[in-house]
Amino acid sequence: MATASLSTPASRIFSFSSLSTRLRTLTTAARATSSTTTSKKKQHQKHKEHRQRVAVKEKRRTRSDREFELETIKRYGDTSFHIPVLLGEVLDVFPASKPLRRFVDCTLGAAGHSSAIIEGHPEMEVYVGLDVDPVALEKARARINGVLDAPNSSLKAYTFLENFRCIKSLLADVDEMLLDAGVDGILMDLGMSSMQVNDPQRGFSVLADGPLDMRMDPQASLKAEDILNSWPEIEVGRILREYGEESNWYSLQNKIVKARLQGGLHSTGELVDLIKSATPLSREGRQGWIKTATRVFQALRIAVNDELKTLEDSLYSCFDCLAPGGRLAVISFHSLEDRIVKQTFLDIINIESRDGDADMIEEEARKKDLRKIRIDIDEDESWIKQMIQGFRGTILTKRPITPSEQEEKLNTRSRSAKLRVIQKV
C-alpha cells in the first residue's frame, strides 16, 4: 500500500518563497504609489488653496486699470531716486474738471504728487505742504518753487517742517478763514521715500549697516536703539507682535534681551545678525530672514514714531478741515495702516447727530447731496467702482485701489500701496 510522502518538493518551496517575495514587493510598490498619490493630492490641494487665497485677496482690492504714463512719472519724479506712487490715480482723485482752490499735502516727500496737482489746477489759490523730514522738505521746496515760477501764477504756497497731526493749528496760522471755509483736498502718502530708505544713517534699511535710529523727525528724542536696549522685555515683545505681526516674536524678544548682557544692539547690522540667528533655516532660506527683518524694522519704526495713533487722530482732524465736497486721499503701505484708514473712514461717515427735527432736515439735505455726488461720479469719474455712503460723508473706494501691473514692474516698492478716498458731504 502506497503511503503519502510528508516531504515537500524543493520546487514548491521555491515557488511559495518567490510568491511571498513578489507579494511583499507589490505591497511595497502599492504603498509607495499610494503615498505618492496622496502627496500629489496634498500638493494639488495646497496649490488650489493658494490660488483661492490670491483670488480672495484680488477681490478685496481694485487694481488700477488706468494706463500707466511713464512720461508723467519721469516729469514729476526720478526713476533712479524717487518715484511718486499711484501718481495717475491721485490725479484722478483731484481731477482738473473739479476746482481745487485750497489744497494740503500732509506728507510732502519730494513733492512729486504736489507739483503735478498744482500744475493741473491753475485756479489753486492756497497750497500747504507738511513734512517732518528736513532733507525731504528742502528738496520739496525747491520743486514747489520751480512750479511757482510759472507765469501768471498767483498761488500762495506755505511749507512747514511739521507732523500732519498739527494740521488744524497750521491752517489757522496760514489763515483763520481756512478752518471755517475748509480746504478742497488733502493728500496723505504714508510711505517712506527712497531717499530715506537709501540713506544708511537713517537706520531704515535692512540691507545697509547704519545706526539704529529710525526717526522720521531727526529732532525727536526716541530712537530704535533706546527701545531695543532699555525698554521692558514685555514691551519689546508687544511691539514685535502687534506692530510687526511677527510670529517668531518671543524668540526674538529673548535674544534682544540677552544681547543687552553683551553691551546691547547699536547698529542695524547687529540687529540683522541677531534676526538671522533667530530665524529657522527652514524659513525660505535668505528670503526668510529678510522678511522677518523687514517686519522687525517696521515694528520698531512704528513704535519710534508713534505712527498708528498719530495716523488715527490725524484722519479725524483732516476730515474736519475739509470743505463740503472736499476729498481726503490716503495711500498706505502695510496692513496695520490700511486697517486704521478703512475703519476710521467708516467711523467718520457714520457719526450721527442727536438733534431730533434738525437731524431730519439735515438728513434730507444730505440725500440730495449724495444724489448729486452719484450723478457727478457716473459722468466724470470711472475710477470709482463702489461707494459707501454715510451720514457725514461718502467713501469713494469701498475697496482700495492698488497699482497697475506696469507700475509694480517699474517700482517694486509700490506693490503694497493702497489708496482710499473719502469725500465730505
Side-chain angles (χ1 to χ4, degrees):
M1 182 176 177
T3 57
S5 175
L6 296 176
S7 61
T8 304
S11 60
R12 186 176 295 179
I13 294 173
F14 178 76
S15 177
F16 280 134
S17 176
S18 298
L19 181 60
S20 177
T21 302
R22 184 170 177 78
L23 285 172
R24 282 198 301 269
T25 302
L26 289 172
T27 302
T28 303
R31 285 175 179 169
T33 303
S34 175
S35 177
T36 303
T37 304
T38 303
S39 178
K40 286 183 177 179
K41 284 182 179 179
K42 286 182 178 179
Q43 194 173 11
H44 177 73
Q45 182 64 25
K46 197 172 182 180
H47 286 317
K48 184 178 179 181
E49 290 173 357
H50 175 71
R51 289 195 300 269
Q52 288 174 342
R53 285 196 298 270
V54 171
V56 169
K57 190 175 181 181
E58 288 290 337
K59 286 179 181 178
R60 290 175 182 169
R61 70 177 186 172
T62 302
R63 185 182 284 280
S64 175
D65 55 8
R66 191 184 200 277
E67 184 177 350
F68 185 68
E69 299 174 359
L70 183 58
E71 291 305 314
T72 303
I73 295 296
K74 289 180 178 178
R75 180 176 180 181
Y76 297 107
D78 182 343
T79 53
S80 63
F81 179 68
H82 174 73
I83 303 175
V85 175
L86 290 166
L87 176 60
E89 290 72 16
V90 168
L91 293 176
D92 285 343
V93 173
F94 304 109
S97 59
K98 293 184 178 296
L100 194 68
R101 294 187 174 84
R102 299 172 295 275
F103 179 75
V104 180
D105 189 339
C106 288
T107 46
L108 252 175
H113 291 108
S114 279
S115 54
I117 290 171
I118 290 172
E119 286 193 356
H121 290 275
E123 79 283 0
M124 190 179 295
E125 299 168 359
V126 178
Y127 168 86
V128 178
L130 322 174
D131 208 296
V132 295
D133 188 333
V135 176
L137 187 65
E138 183 180 354
K139 292 181 180 296
R141 281 173 173 163
R143 185 181 285 271
I144 296 297
N145 288 335
V147 175
L148 294 178
D149 286 341
N152 303 321
S153 175
S154 58
L155 172 64
K156 294 180 180 178
Y158 305 86
T159 54
F160 298 95
L161 185 64
E162 287 284 358
N163 190 289
F164 48 61
R165 67 162 69 94
C166 305
I167 184 170
K168 285 188 176 182
S169 61
L170 292 174
L171 289 181
D173 289 343
V174 171
D175 189 339
E176 290 271 355
M177 294 296 293
L178 281 177
L179 283 180
D180 296 331
V183 298
D184 301 312
I186 300 175
L187 173 65
M188 300 173 77
D189 178 354
L190 305 177
M192 297 176 59
S193 68
S194 297
M195 56 187 164
Q196 293 169 327
V197 177
N198 295 339
D199 182 358
Q201 295 304 307
R202 301 299 297 273
F204 295 119
S205 176
V206 170
L207 301 177
D209 191 25
L212 280 166
D213 194 316
M214 302 194 191
R215 293 172 298 173
M216 299 297 288
D217 177 3
Q219 301 303 314
S221 57
L222 181 64
K223 300 179 183 179
E225 183 178 5
D226 302 324
I227 294 175
L228 292 169
N229 295 323
S230 61
W231 278 29
E233 178 178 352
I234 191 171
E235 192 65 11
V236 173
R238 183 190 67 81
I239 288 169
L240 297 175
R241 184 177 66 252
E242 294 183 7
Y243 296 164
E245 299 181 296
E246 171 54 44
S247 59
N248 198 32
W249 65 270
Y250 189 71
S251 174
L252 288 166
Q253 167 195 296
N254 290 338
K255 283 187 174 291
I256 289 168
V257 173
K258 286 180 181 177
R260 295 174 182 177
L261 301 176
Q262 280 77 46
L265 299 167
H266 304 285
S267 72
T268 56
E270 291 175 351
L271 178 58
V272 166
D273 288 341
L274 181 146
I275 292 168
K276 286 180 180 178
S277 69
T279 304
L281 294 176
S282 59
R283 294 184 85 181
E284 305 173 60
R286 180 174 182 268
Q287 289 300 315
W289 75 257
I290 287 181
K291 289 179 180 178
T292 299
T294 301
R295 289 190 288 265
V296 171
F297 275 54
Q298 171 186 296
L300 290 169
R301 193 198 74 228
I302 289 173
V304 167
N305 300 286
D306 192 21
E307 292 180 14
L308 301 185
K309 178 61 176 171
T310 299
L311 172 61
E312 184 176 354
D313 293 343
S314 300
L315 289 171
Y316 286 103
S317 297
C318 287
F319 186 82
D320 289 343
C321 293
L322 290 175
R327 291 177 175 178
L328 167 60
V330 184
I331 303 174
S332 62
F333 285 83
H334 58 77
S335 59
L336 295 175
E337 288 176 342
D338 183 59
R339 208 174 297 147
I340 288 174
V341 177
K342 176 183 177 181
Q343 190 56 54
T344 304
F345 277 8
L346 289 170
D347 292 343
I348 285 173
I349 66 172
N350 289 317
I351 293 175
E352 296 189 6
S353 172
R354 306 284 186 216
D355 293 335
D357 294 339
D359 193 27
M360 292 178 62
I361 295 171
E362 187 175 347
E363 175 68 9
E364 288 301 316
R366 183 184 69 88
K367 287 180 179 178
K368 290 180 181 178
D369 288 338
L370 289 176
R371 282 194 292 271
K372 183 177 182 299
I373 290 170
R374 182 72 261 179
I375 292 170
D376 291 344
I377 289 170
D378 285 343
E379 292 178 352
D380 303 326
E381 303 187 272
S382 59
W383 62 271
I384 300 177
K385 309 300 182 185
Q386 292 177 295
M387 302 191 307
I388 302 176
Q389 297 178 343
F391 187 82
R392 299 182 65 204
T394 303
I395 297 173
L396 302 182
T397 48
K398 182 177 180 180
R399 293 193 178 97
I401 296 172
T402 59
S404 64
E405 292 181 2
Q406 295 96 322
E407 178 166 6
E408 285 188 9
K409 288 178 182 177
L410 173 69
N411 181 14
T412 56
R413 288 176 179 168
S414 73
R415 63 181 178 270
S416 59
K418 293 180 179 179
L419 171 64
R420 294 185 185 271
V421 185
I422 188 172
Q423 178 167 314
K424 195 171 188 177
V425 172

